[in-house]
Amino acid sequence: MEIALVGIGKIALDQHVPAIAASPDWDLAATVSRKGSVDGVESFTDFAELLERRSDIRVVSLCLPPVPRFDYAAAAIAAGRHVMLEKPPGASLSECHRLIDMAQAQRVSLYATWHSREAPMVAAAKAWLADKTLRRLQITWKEDVRRWHPGQDWIWEPGGLGVFDPGINALSILTEILPDAIHLTDATLEVPENKQGPIAASLRFAHPAGAEVGAVFDWRQDGDQIWTIEAETDRGRLELHDGGARMVIDGIEQSADGPALAGEYPRLYARMAQLVASGGSDVDLSPMRHVADAFLLGRRETVAPFHE
């Protein structure tokens, strides 16, 4: 199937373009970007022009920042195109629900992707936790914003999520592996005095069985980057490291079962192909709901200004 990629920035070039190129399901037929392009692929600077001139392209993958994404997705759906959304699926829950309604009305597929759920050991962690009683779970997600988001000023603006841009990856794993639903009860957001979005956050959740569940996100990490989830249960301890790439059970490193596809983004594009073929949609908003609750409930603390 032919697909158009909209928003040719770092994530598109690092992940989406290679995943599409390696996929047996997809052919990158066009791109839309004001600045970027892909060698050998037809490029547009105007999305409306793409929709008008390339009616043969039935699927659109949106890699834009969250704030402008709704208008592009709505236009694509109105034109009868299937839409794949980079995480987070939008700038607000309300606009995501609107896209769901539009996709249903137009009978097109809508896929809100959560790439961290496709990390090699996430499914294994979910299976291990399924029959155990959780006592404590702690997320530690600390990285250097200068390394992963250089010059991306939009992430500090309203709708850009700040540290929740990576933090929502942790929440997407959390909501995937836990057998019970949780909800946020308390949050502290550290906001640089020269920014709109938080640079760090700490969260506490209520668990139906009383387990202690918390998370710490920080964008000021020097040295080794930390993406860890630790869970203590009635029958052992689980650790997910490197964003779900590694799993340790009671101190013993576990081996992956050898997935048919290597990499998070190839698995996302394989899933999109399945959805288009079956006429289905997949839009789980639970990670985003926790972020919205953090902004609603969170106590804001002003911290030192941040400069790249």
Side-chain angles (χ1 to χ4, degrees):
M1 292 176 283
E2 291 189 322
I3 190 169
L5 192 58
V6 182
I8 307 301
K10 179 176 173 55
I11 191 66
L13 294 174
D14 289 352
Q15 299 293 346
H16 290 262
V17 172
I20 293 169
S23 171
D25 300 308
W26 301 105
D27 174 31
L28 182 57
T31 64
V32 180
S33 178
R34 289 178 296 177
K35 298 179 180 180
S37 62
V38 176
D39 290 344
V41 178
E42 183 179 12
S43 62
F44 295 83
T45 58
D46 182 75
F47 188 51
E49 182 182 4
L50 166 79
L51 294 176
E52 180 180 354
R53 289 180 50 188
R54 294 299 308 268
S55 59
D56 56 310
I57 300 176
R58 308 306 304 165
V59 184
V60 174
S61 180
L62 298 180
C63 303
L64 301 157
V67 170
R69 197 175 298 154
F70 173 82
D71 289 340
Y72 283 77
I77 292 170
R81 314 300 169 89
H82 307 285
V83 175
M84 182 173 176
L85 302 168
E86 177 59 82
K87 66 86 187 174
S92 74
L93 286 168
S94 293
E95 67 183 34
C96 292
H97 284 290
R98 176 64 181 139
L99 292 178
I100 292 171
D101 292 341
M102 291 181 64
Q104 290 176 342
Q106 288 290 104
R107 297 183 179 179
V108 297
S109 296
L110 180 65
Y111 182 24
T113 68
W114 300 106
H115 68 81
S116 289
R117 288 182 173 177
E118 303 300 333
M121 302 306 296
V122 169
K126 179 179 181 178
W128 189 85
L129 288 169
D131 62 350
K132 296 174 179 64
T133 300
L134 184 69
R135 291 175 175 166
R136 179 181 178 274
L137 185 144
Q138 181 64 35
I139 296 171
T140 306
W141 224 253
K142 297 182 178 182
E143 62 182 57
D144 183 357
V145 64
R146 294 179 178 91
R147 182 189 304 186
W148 302 103
H149 301 274
Q152 296 181 21
D153 293 335
W154 61 266
I155 56 177
W156 298 107
E157 296 300 318
L161 299 189
V163 75
F164 287 101
D165 179 83
I168 204 170
N169 295 334
L171 296 174
S172 72
I173 296 175
L174 178 68
T175 51
E176 176 69 12
I177 66 176
L178 282 187
D180 301 304
I182 58 173
H183 67 272
L184 189 89
T185 58
D186 181 72
T188 299
L189 311 181
E190 298 182 36
V191 183
E193 63 180 34
N194 62 332
K195 302 293 184 183
Q196 293 291 317
I199 197 168
S202 60
L203 313 177
R204 302 301 301 175
F205 298 89
H207 184 272
E212 297 180 17
V213 180
V216 174
F217 305 146
D218 202 318
W219 249 352
R220 301 166 296 194
Q221 178 72 7
D222 292 326
D224 292 340
Q225 309 292 277
I226 303 172
W227 301 291
T228 299
I229 299 176
E230 301 168 295
E232 298 175 5
T233 77
D234 62 331
R235 286 185 284 152
R237 175 184 174 88
L238 175 146
E239 301 169 23
L240 281 176
H241 297 284
D242 301 336
R246 296 173 45 236
M247 183 170 70
V248 176
I249 302 293
D250 294 331
I252 301 174
E253 185 91 22
Q254 307 296 303
S255 300
D257 293 333
L261 290 172
E264 298 171 4
Y265 280 82
R267 285 192 280 272
L268 294 179
Y269 276 95
R271 173 64 173 154
M272 185 61 183
Q274 294 171 351
L275 291 172
V276 172
S278 65
S281 288
D282 184 351
V283 188
D284 176 19
L285 300 179
S286 56
M288 195 169 173
R289 186 178 69 248
H290 292 312
V291 174
D293 287 349
F295 278 101
L296 283 169
L297 292 175
R299 182 177 64 255
R300 283 155 176 79
E301 295 182 355
T302 301
V303 297
F306 175 81
H307 302 283
E308 286 199 56

